[in-house]
Amino acid sequence: MTLHPVFRYDMTIEELVQVGNQYIESAWKPLYDSLHDQLMVAFREIEDAAYGLYLDQLMPVIFDSLEEAGFEVMEPLEDRDFVIGKCLLFRNSLEKWGTEDNRSRLFWNVVRSKESQQPIGTLLTEISHSHLKFEIPTAPVLFSLREIEREQIVQGIRLIKG
């Protein structure tokens, strides 16, 4: 049985990532296996958007739990925003690493205290995926950055990805 992540309002960004990764580690594969056939069919029609359907099932539990603990992870939406997984914005993502059968996309969310509006850092969500068929070769992974400005976040991602 998959446990929901439990976050507290006084956690650091690193602690949030640790709890989030424990949840993903337990939940990602059973969910992937249960949705695989349906998402293979979807991939033939909508290609990469099928990964969004998967993240729509995996990630909201994390974002809902963060909100319940007193954090904000979503910034105001713009007209052309495309959102998956409840809070992942395509304009706040990069996909530059890997081969066609194992690409890596990283999304970022600046995490703020709801009460003070002070940012505690940035949550990165990485999903590896194939462009050739529906396949997620490894568990999605969360990373943390202390940086909160777009340019520094992009630099931080490049340091993590090498």
Side-chain angles (χ1 to χ4, degrees):
M1 179 163 150
T2 303
L3 298 174
H4 286 309
V6 178
F7 301 108
R8 293 182 327 274
Y9 72 93
D10 60 346
M11 288 177 138
T12 64
I13 190 73
E14 293 84 5
E15 291 169 324
L16 296 178
V17 162
Q18 184 179 4
V19 170
N21 276 328
Q22 287 170 346
Y23 163 75
I24 289 172
E25 195 58 45
S26 68
W28 88 275
K29 189 72 166 115
L31 180 64
Y32 177 76
D33 290 343
S34 71
L35 296 174
H36 190 265
D37 290 347
Q38 139 189 10
L39 292 175
M40 275 182 31
V41 171
F43 184 83
R44 287 195 285 271
E45 294 174 22
I46 60 174
E47 297 178 349
D48 270 13
Y51 296 110
L53 298 175
Y54 173 77
L55 291 173
D56 285 345
Q57 299 295 314
L58 180 68
M59 296 303 294
V61 171
I62 291 174
F63 293 127
D64 288 342
S65 297
L66 284 167
E67 288 172 14
E68 288 166 16
F71 296 102
E72 279 183 6
V73 293
M74 193 63 164
E75 60 187 76
L77 291 177
E78 297 176 3
D79 287 345
R80 294 189 183 156
D81 272 333
F82 185 70
V83 182
I84 62 171
K86 183 171 183 167
C87 293
L88 301 173
L89 296 174
F90 262 84
R91 71 177 149 95
N92 290 348
S93 74
L94 291 173
E95 180 181 279
K96 296 179 182 268
W97 303 274
T99 59
E100 284 303 292
D101 64 341
N102 191 358
R103 294 288 288 173
S104 179
R105 178 174 291 277
L106 276 99
F107 294 88
W108 66 85
N109 296 82
V110 175
V111 180
R112 299 177 189 282
S113 162
K114 266 189 206 170
E115 204 172 276
S116 69
Q117 287 300 302
Q118 288 299 311
I120 66 162
T122 299
L123 178 70
L124 303 178
T125 304
E126 178 180 28
I127 181 163
S128 297
H129 60 287
S130 173
H131 284 182
L132 306 177
K133 62 181 179 179
F134 183 80
E135 182 178 29
I136 301 172
T138 56
V141 180
L142 303 179
F143 298 96
S144 63
L145 291 174
R146 286 289 172 150
E147 293 76 17
I148 58 164
E149 299 296 329
R150 185 178 188 91
E151 284 182 29
Q152 284 83 16
I153 292 169
V154 170
Q155 287 174 356
I157 290 171
R158 289 194 172 117
L159 286 175
I160 288 170
K161 293 305 293 178

